[in-house]
Amino acid sequence: MPNSKTHAGSNPAYHRIANLIAWTFLTLMMIWLFLPMIWSVTTTFKTAIETYRVPVKILPENLSFHNYIKILTDSSFPRYLFNTVYLTVVTTLLTVIISIWPAYAFSRMKFKFQHILLLFIMIPRLIPRISVTIPLYKIIVSAGLLNTYTALIITYTMTSLPFAVWILSGVFQSIPKEIEESAFVDGAQLIQTMFRIMIPIASSGVVTVIIFTVREAWNEFPFVLSFTNSATMRTLPYQLYMFRDTLGIEDWPLINTFAIITIIPILVVYFIFSKKVTSGIIQGALK
């Protein structure tokens, strides 16, 4: 006699209900996550008065690009953009060039407490950046580097190196040693092996380091706020902060417009190299 009981796992109705619940939950989560972003974007096309009207409307009454034109035609905007790009590019280059050597050493050299030391390298990432601002400020003042690009580049690079070394050490460790040994047998020097063989193979890890370093340097705020006092040294995040103090009344459309313009380059770069970033993180974490 066939068994009349039907297991829930094999019941089509059960699967339909489970899928409905799962998709409903995911839809609500997506709305929760993207609604503020959509609201922020649509606000950039509104006027300041429109944002304070009740009831609040997500879509603008009249589509206007006034806020974008006002920011992009501001005589000081190119300076803020230059400072941000310059600091980001120099910091990223230094981080990549410096980090590949300790990362390679950790992946190929075996010594006592190696893994513990690699773990300690990540400790600065766990310390809030604001907690080291005062000691760094005293050092920078005593060195005569206050209000200079050098102070910002050093501090930006210092905070980016731990993550870069951690990621690249795992990526280098995933590369078979036989590849390097073959190059050494053919007469290649260490520098030639690194730049012609190791780094091209570890390109996913290098791209990951570049993306995360660019993101941190581009969005950095506490250091540039503490170590500079000149308007010519302001970066995009710094100027976004200054909007809150100089506008008097909160002009949210203008503030949101500046924020959107600031994050667009990072989003574009990340979407282009997202697959490389994911691959680099996985390779770095597995080892």
Side-chain angles (χ1 to χ4, degrees):
M1 182 177 180
N3 190 356
S4 59
K5 295 182 179 180
T6 303
H7 295 289
S10 59
N11 191 339
Y14 170 82
H15 285 295
R16 286 196 295 270
I17 294 173
N19 289 335
L20 179 61
I21 294 174
W23 279 107
T24 302
F25 176 76
L26 289 175
T27 302
L28 292 175
M29 288 298 297
M30 293 295 289
I31 294 174
W32 178 266
L33 292 173
F34 283 100
L35 183 59
M37 186 179 300
I38 295 173
W39 199 319
S40 178
V41 172
T42 57
T43 301
T44 63
F45 302 103
K46 299 178 181 179
T47 62
I49 297 177
E50 200 174 339
T51 58
Y52 289 98
R53 289 177 181 171
V54 178
V56 179
K57 297 180 181 179
I58 296 180
L59 297 178
E61 296 178 359
N62 298 302
L63 190 66
S64 173
F65 293 91
H66 170 74
N67 295 308
Y68 289 93
I69 296 173
K70 185 175 181 179
I71 289 176
L72 294 176
T73 56
D74 185 352
S75 59
S76 299
F77 182 80
R79 184 66 188 185
Y80 307 144
L81 180 62
F82 169 79
N83 290 340
T84 305
V85 172
Y86 176 73
L87 292 170
T88 300
V89 170
V90 175
T91 299
T92 303
L93 289 175
L94 288 176
T95 299
V96 173
I97 293 172
I98 295 174
S99 63
I100 58 176
W101 302 107
Y104 180 78
F106 273 112
S107 66
R108 290 297 185 255
M109 298 176 63
K110 302 301 179 183
F111 50 89
K112 197 174 184 180
F113 305 120
Q114 175 183 2
H115 297 291
I116 296 177
L117 181 58
L118 185 59
L119 180 63
F120 278 144
I121 287 179
M122 289 298 295
I123 289 180
R125 299 283 304 182
L126 306 178
I127 300 175
R129 186 167 297 186
I130 194 66
S131 64
V132 299
T133 300
I134 294 177
L136 287 175
Y137 178 82
K138 292 183 177 180
I139 295 173
I140 289 171
V141 170
S142 62
L145 297 177
L146 190 65
N147 208 45
T148 63
Y149 288 121
T150 303
L152 296 177
I153 291 171
I154 291 174
T155 51
Y156 285 14
T157 305
M158 175 190 67
T159 54
S160 301
L161 280 174
F163 180 79
V165 172
W166 183 74
I167 285 291
L168 289 178
S169 63
V171 175
F172 285 147
Q173 195 171 350
S174 66
I175 301 175
K177 294 182 179 179
E178 290 76 12
I179 296 178
E180 301 161 75
E181 293 172 354
S182 299
F184 292 144
V185 169
D186 293 337
Q189 301 296 322
L190 178 59
I191 294 180
Q192 293 175 319
T193 304
M194 282 293 295
F195 286 97
R196 293 184 180 181
I197 299 176
M198 298 296 291
I199 292 179
I201 296 177
S203 60
S204 60
V206 175
V207 171
T208 302
V209 169
I210 291 174
I211 296 300
F212 277 85
T213 305
V214 166
R215 187 200 65 180
E216 288 202 2
W218 188 276
N219 295 324
E220 205 287 324
F221 174 68
F223 289 160
V224 69
L225 175 65
S226 303
F227 305 150
T228 62
N229 52 29
S230 172
T232 58
M233 290 295 297
R234 291 179 187 172
T235 59
L236 293 176
Y238 192 154
Q239 182 60 21
L240 179 60
Y241 164 77
M242 292 301 295
F243 270 137
R244 299 290 303 272
D245 294 332
T246 58
L247 293 177
I249 186 175
E250 302 290 2
D251 191 343
W252 291 113
L254 195 64
I255 293 173
N256 283 8
T257 303
F258 197 95
I260 294 297
I261 293 174
T262 300
I263 66 174
I264 283 177
I266 299 297
L267 292 177
V268 171
V269 172
Y270 184 81
F271 284 137
I272 292 175
F273 298 103
S274 58
K275 291 184 179 180
K276 284 279 188 179
V277 172
T278 304
S279 176
I281 293 175
I282 293 174
Q283 290 185 45
L286 288 178
K287 297 295 179 178

